[in-house]
Amino acid sequence: MSLQYVIGIDHAVVMVGDLDAAAANWQRLGFTLSPRGTHSPALGSGNYTIMFGQDYIELLGILSPTEHNAPSRAFLAERGDGIERIAFTTTDAAKGADELRDLGLDAVGPIDFGRPVPLPGGGEGEARFSIFQWPLTEAPAGLRIFACQHHTRDTVWIPELQRHANGATGLVRVIVTAPRPESDARHLLRLIDGEQFSEPDGSVVVPSGSDRAEFAFVARDVLAQQYPGVSLDGVPERGGAGLIIAVADLAATEQAIGAAGVRIGDRLVVPPRAANGVLLVFVAR
């Protein structure tokens, strides 16, 4: 990626209608979740995070309707649970927003906010962030993107929250369904000033930067061919569809996940209906 202040995928935002029920569901899949967080009244949302070494998954729910969360409420109303947004890591939100403007993109922000963090050992800390967003109209395959600068990493990347019964260690790929994968991949390229390449399985891949997870755009029928025997109910024709997650030991992952997982060669797959609209694919790395 040519953007100077954006260094790759930071986290995936999974929008859910029932936040606490979703948290219990992902715990059953062997993930360790942070204590529930509550955002500011202006944001009107709450979350649980699933932390890995350098990235994470955020389960996000609406606690009260606000102007800020109107797009998220519209997403839930139209699609239901699923991947709504992808965040990049930015080293400087203000300079990153200016960099987008230099590319002719009307960046939103930066916006500074924080939330209290209940600490696993007791007590409370604070997580503080600055974010900027690409314009809402610039969403490749309908997937919104933004960038996040972490000012208090020690209250987010807590060591005990990074140990998962299923052995998950980090994000490898974000799967995005698109009827015209190459077109939507080119859209993302224009937004992040990056590059793309095609794979033999029909995916069009866009690296997100550095050693972070990549994007893979793929038609829904091709995705079904990649994961035969796995129901894709809940996966949209166009939008955030799934996550490929690295694990330390696939056999241990299979034991932790139990009947929810389907083994396909060297991958363990959890269908979207068992993971709040997200196709989860675990691979040993």
Side-chain angles (χ1 to χ4, degrees):
M1 186 189 296
S2 298
L3 295 178
Q4 182 178 352
Y5 299 102
V6 175
I7 60 171
I9 287 177
D10 187 83
H11 65 278
V13 178
V14 178
M15 203 72 217
V16 297
D18 187 327
L19 183 56
D20 292 331
N25 188 41
W26 287 64
Q27 284 178 320
R28 285 191 293 269
L29 294 173
F31 291 103
T32 299
L33 273 66
S34 69
R36 175 170 157 165
T38 301
H39 297 137
S40 69
L43 297 181
S45 53
N47 72 347
Y48 290 91
T49 58
I50 299 170
M51 306 304 301
F52 305 125
Q54 61 182 2
D55 48 33
Y56 63 100
I57 299 168
E58 178 182 15
L59 304 180
L60 185 67
I62 302 299
L63 303 182
S64 60
T66 69
E67 180 180 356
H68 179 87
N69 62 43
S72 297
R73 287 185 282 118
F75 175 92
L76 285 171
E78 179 178 346
R79 174 181 164 179
D81 293 1
I83 300 172
E84 185 211 13
R85 279 173 280 169
I86 296 296
F88 292 86
T89 300
T90 177
T91 55
D92 189 312
K95 292 180 179 178
D98 286 341
E99 193 171 23
L100 289 193
R101 295 182 183 108
D102 290 341
L103 292 175
L105 296 166
D106 189 14
V108 179
I111 301 167
D112 302 318
F113 69 98
R115 62 175 172 86
V117 176
L119 301 176
E124 187 174 88
E126 182 188 22
R128 291 186 291 106
F129 315 89
S130 296
I131 65 170
F132 68 85
Q133 303 176 56
W134 278 256
L136 290 178
T137 54
E138 300 283 7
L143 184 68
R144 293 167 59 196
I145 59 175
F146 68 106
C148 180
Q149 180 181 3
H150 293 271
H151 299 294
T152 53
R153 292 184 66 88
D154 58 329
T155 59
V156 178
W157 272 270
I158 297 172
E160 50 262 57
L161 296 181
Q162 298 177 49
R163 294 189 285 268
H164 305 278
N166 61 22
T169 60
L171 300 176
V172 176
R173 174 175 285 187
V174 175
I175 302 170
V176 186
T177 44
R180 300 174 59 196
E182 290 191 1
S183 176
D184 281 303
R186 286 195 299 270
H187 186 181
L188 178 60
L189 290 180
R190 180 170 60 81
L191 300 180
I192 66 173
D193 200 16
E195 60 182 1
Q196 73 180 53
F197 60 90
S198 297
E199 290 194 334
D201 67 1
S203 300
V204 181
V205 176
V206 177
S208 76
S210 186
D211 58 348
R212 302 295 181 91
E214 61 195 13
F215 294 88
F217 293 82
V218 60
R220 194 178 188 278
D221 59 340
V222 174
L223 184 66
Q225 296 171 19
Q226 294 175 359
Y227 299 100
V230 176
S231 171
L232 296 185
D233 288 347
V235 168
E237 289 290 334
R238 189 168 184 264
L243 300 171
I244 298 181
I245 298 173
V247 300
D249 181 342
L250 197 62
T253 305
E254 191 169 15
Q255 184 175 4
I257 290 176
V262 178
R263 187 70 178 259
I264 302 178
D266 60 354
R267 296 166 292 175
L268 184 68
V269 185
V270 175
R273 67 174 180 271
N276 296 93
V278 182
L279 177 71
L280 294 179
V281 182
F282 297 89
V283 295
R285 287 293 173 92

